[in-house]
Amino acid sequence: AARTAMALLKLDEGVPRGAIEDGDLVIIQSGFRSLQFARIKRGGETHFRIGLFRHDDIIGKPFGSRWEGIHAGGKRPKKRKLAETRPWVRALFPTPEMWTTTLPHRTQVVYLADISNIVFQLEVCPGAIVFEAGTGSGSLSTSLARAVAPNGHLYTFEFHEQRAQRAREDFDANKLSSVVTVTHRDVLRDGFGLAPDAYGSVDAIILDLPAPWDAARHVKNALRPDGVVCIFTPNTEQANRAVEALRAESLGCFR
């Protein structure tokens, strides 16, 4: 299971991947565009498009292996085209990009093209301290965790208690808790809850909130002098309002 964290945080470069083990997170490919995740467990099963595979069949096999599954219920489907096709699966090594494609959707997620631009524009690097207001499904969070690892930290805040708990469970299961802290908190109303020595020390802040302009004063308190802010808004009117709120707090240089 520790290998899951190494994969998602990209700390495993140059390390032999070896065989699939009990407890590993794997990405299951059962077609050209068909991906889903599975947490391997002895005695477990995972269903896919036209069948299932038993976890015991892949434990001990190397990542990237392809093998045949069985049709759902042990029977061939009625459609001739599917009946003539033996179901197959391939177990792939997990990455943040694949996790974004397969994770459980609790909210609309940020996808790879936007994630790469956000991480680049925020200048997030190993050792950075990042605040994210609006955890959602944790898609962007996982890539941010990889960017700050191994000695940085992501603090992500979610106002919806159930979503915060589910995100925390995902990060725990993926062994990312060493670099990610999830907090159930309404940042718009209560701010980030900074300790006195944390003011002005945050390298980057992401606001994915319904009214990000209301968080401008909290951003000013948290952000270091040359820190960077990213704001998600659905239209230019709200973007302009957020920019004006940040300018009112003496924060500038927008792009």
Side-chain angles (χ1 to χ4, degrees):
R3 189 165 47 184
T4 295
M6 293 178 67
L8 292 175
L9 298 179
K10 207 173 182 181
L11 302 178
D12 63 320
E13 293 181 320
V15 178
R17 294 179 177 178
I20 298 169
E21 300 173 358
D22 185 16
D24 276 348
L25 170 68
V26 300
I27 304 299
I28 299 300
Q29 180 190 24
S30 56
F32 181 69
R33 293 185 178 273
S34 180
L35 296 173
Q36 67 187 85
F37 77 91
R39 302 191 192 281
I40 301 304
K41 182 179 180 181
R42 290 196 181 276
E45 294 180 344
T46 294
H47 292 258
F48 57 98
R49 293 183 307 148
I50 59 173
L52 62 88
F53 73 91
R54 298 187 176 96
H55 294 188
D56 288 349
D57 292 341
I58 69 170
I59 292 176
K61 290 184 169 61
F63 281 95
S65 295
R66 170 174 165 159
W67 70 97
E68 293 181 359
I70 59 176
H71 286 289
K75 300 179 180 179
R76 289 177 176 258
K78 293 181 180 180
K79 290 185 179 180
R80 181 179 176 183
K81 191 172 182 180
L82 291 178
E84 293 174 351
T85 303
R86 289 189 174 185
W88 60 270
V89 290
R90 192 186 300 275
L92 306 176
F93 209 55
T95 65
E97 290 76 17
M98 287 186 177
W99 180 246
T100 287
T101 304
T102 61
L103 58 74
H105 285 207
R106 295 179 286 273
T107 60
Q108 185 174 355
V109 303
V110 183
Y111 284 101
L112 306 178
D114 291 324
I115 288 174
S116 59
N117 189 39
I118 290 167
V119 173
F120 174 75
Q121 297 283 2
L122 289 179
E123 302 173 1
V124 179
C125 60
I129 302 299
V130 179
F131 281 8
E132 177 191 30
T135 310
S137 299
S139 171
L140 176 58
S141 309
T142 302
S143 288
L144 289 170
R146 176 178 63 182
V148 303
N151 53 345
H153 206 88
L154 169 67
Y155 296 88
T156 181
F157 304 84
E158 174 60 54
F159 80 95
H160 190 282
E161 186 174 6
Q162 186 177 6
R163 284 204 295 265
Q165 180 58 32
R166 292 288 300 278
R168 189 178 296 110
E169 291 170 358
D170 282 345
F171 294 135
D172 288 344
N174 291 343
K175 308 301 179 186
L176 301 181
S177 298
S178 62
V179 292
V180 181
T181 298
V182 182
T183 302
H184 169 229
R185 189 178 185 87
D186 185 348
V187 170
L188 292 178
R189 184 188 65 195
D190 303 322
F192 295 108
L194 295 173
D197 60 348
Y199 283 88
S201 64
V202 180
D203 298 292
I205 296 177
I206 300 101
L207 300 178
D208 188 2
L209 302 169
W213 46 86
D214 287 338
R217 66 188 187 280
H218 306 308
V219 169
K220 180 181 180 180
N221 290 336
L223 200 66
R224 63 181 173 84
D226 57 345
V228 189
V229 183
C230 170
I231 298 177
F232 289 90
T233 60
N235 54 59
T236 55
E237 289 80 4
Q238 290 191 16
N240 288 335
R241 184 173 179 181
V243 166
E244 290 305 317
L246 292 173
R247 279 181 175 150
E249 297 292 341
S250 301
L251 297 171
C253 190
F254 300 99
R255 55 190 176 188

